Amino acid sequence: MQNISREEMIELVKKSNHPYEVLHGSSYVSDQEILLLAIKKGPECLLMADKNLRNNRGFILKAVQQNGLALEYASYTLKGDKKVILEALKYDKSGRCFSCINENLKNDRAFVLEAIKINGNALLYAKLHFQWDLEMIIESIKNGGVIFPYLNSEFKGNPTVALLAIKQNPMMFHEVGKNLTNSYSFLIKVKQILEEQNYKGYILQSVNSYLKKVNDYGTDLYFDL
């Protein structure tokens, strides 16, 4: 594709589902505008940029704004740049870009917490000991993280954590600890949350069913909610 015009290349990149194949080997890999268009569809397109460009902070900031996963293909130095990382998390709903950051930042609790407040899913790719940190878990769920199904039984049985998860996604009711489904006070709180959200799905029926069992059998656990 060496003989096509710049305008034609822009259109090809915009229309293609495989921009790397379209752009690879062409003279336009050094064209920043075209490269950014390609990165938006495929972060691996950053690999076609020369070493200097992958280490150019201004360009990488633009790249991660197109696709947060482009961070994976940035230079080692920029994978340790806090501003670049936090910007990438804004444009990567999965939070996966957090997995490639430099090791020293992975162990920086203050920075990890800052990252989770931007994108709750960053916790999925954080160090394991942070995934067992109550403050981290709460911030993750508050900020859209889908960490709850992966938590251990201790946290799934924590009423504060469970209620936050259900508020974000009612389907998480099926993930809560058994100790909570035997708690009248917890179930009432869940029902209130669902009704406030005008939720009409089957989870509300499940909650009512558990409430009936608690009333019928007298089983209950009380929490300060």
Side-chain angles (χ1 to χ4, degrees):
M1 295 190 181
Q2 296 290 342
N3 298 319
I4 69 171
S5 69
R6 184 176 186 275
E7 289 71 23
E8 288 173 323
M9 179 57 81
I10 288 173
E11 288 304 311
L12 281 172
V13 170
K14 284 181 177 179
K15 293 177 181 178
S16 177
N17 292 322
H18 306 284
Y20 188 95
E21 296 176 9
V22 171
L23 197 54
H24 183 66
S26 81
S27 60
Y28 294 110
V29 293
S30 59
D31 187 309
Q32 292 189 21
E33 180 186 351
I34 293 176
L35 193 54
L36 288 171
L37 285 173
I39 289 168
K40 185 173 185 177
K41 289 191 169 185
E44 70 280 1
C45 291
L46 182 56
L47 286 172
M48 290 184 283
D50 63 39
K51 184 178 180 180
N52 289 333
L53 199 54
R54 284 188 282 124
N55 197 38
N56 183 307
R57 190 171 189 260
F59 178 76
I60 295 301
L61 279 169
K62 291 179 182 178
V64 298
Q65 287 168 353
Q66 296 299 314
N67 191 324
L69 290 171
L71 181 65
E72 182 179 350
Y73 305 98
S75 69
Y76 176 83
T77 299
L78 291 176
K79 288 177 183 177
D81 186 306
K82 292 181 179 182
K83 182 176 179 180
V84 172
I85 295 166
L86 296 177
E87 194 68 15
L89 285 169
K90 296 176 185 177
Y91 298 92
D92 172 23
K93 187 176 181 180
S94 72
R96 198 177 84 201
C97 66
F98 201 69
S99 65
C100 70
I101 71 171
N102 291 356
E103 199 68 19
N104 63 317
L105 289 180
K106 285 183 180 180
N107 289 307
D108 184 334
R109 188 182 189 281
F111 178 69
V112 173
L113 187 58
E114 184 180 2
I116 289 168
K117 289 180 179 180
I118 288 176
N119 184 334
N121 283 326
L123 186 58
L124 292 168
Y125 302 94
K127 294 284 189 179
L128 189 60
H129 60 276
F130 290 138
Q131 295 178 13
W132 292 355
D133 184 310
L134 181 59
E135 183 182 8
M136 295 281 190
I137 291 168
I138 288 174
E139 287 300 330
S140 173
I141 295 171
K142 281 182 178 178
N143 291 284
V146 294
I147 192 76
F148 191 71
Y150 307 102
L151 298 177
N152 62 25
S153 58
E154 176 187 349
F155 291 117
K156 285 187 175 182
N158 181 303
T160 300
V161 174
L163 288 172
L164 277 173
I166 292 166
K167 191 172 184 178
Q168 293 291 328
N169 180 0
M171 294 295 292
M172 291 301 101
F173 178 73
H174 288 312
E175 297 285 344
V176 306
K178 289 184 179 180
N179 61 313
L180 296 181
T181 57
N182 287 328
S183 166
Y184 181 83
S185 52
F186 176 80
L187 293 169
I188 287 295
K189 190 65 177 179
V190 173
K191 186 173 182 178
Q192 289 173 351
I193 288 171
L194 298 179
E195 289 175 345
E196 286 170 2
Q197 295 179 346
N198 200 30
Y199 177 84
K200 302 295 183 183
Y202 76 94
I203 298 298
L204 186 57
Q205 296 174 358
S206 295
V207 173
N208 286 329
S209 176
Y210 277 107
L211 278 168
K212 186 176 185 303
K213 287 180 181 178
V214 170
N215 282 327
D216 287 348
Y217 296 102
T219 303
D220 195 14
L221 297 169
Y222 291 93
F223 299 95
D224 182 9
L225 300 173

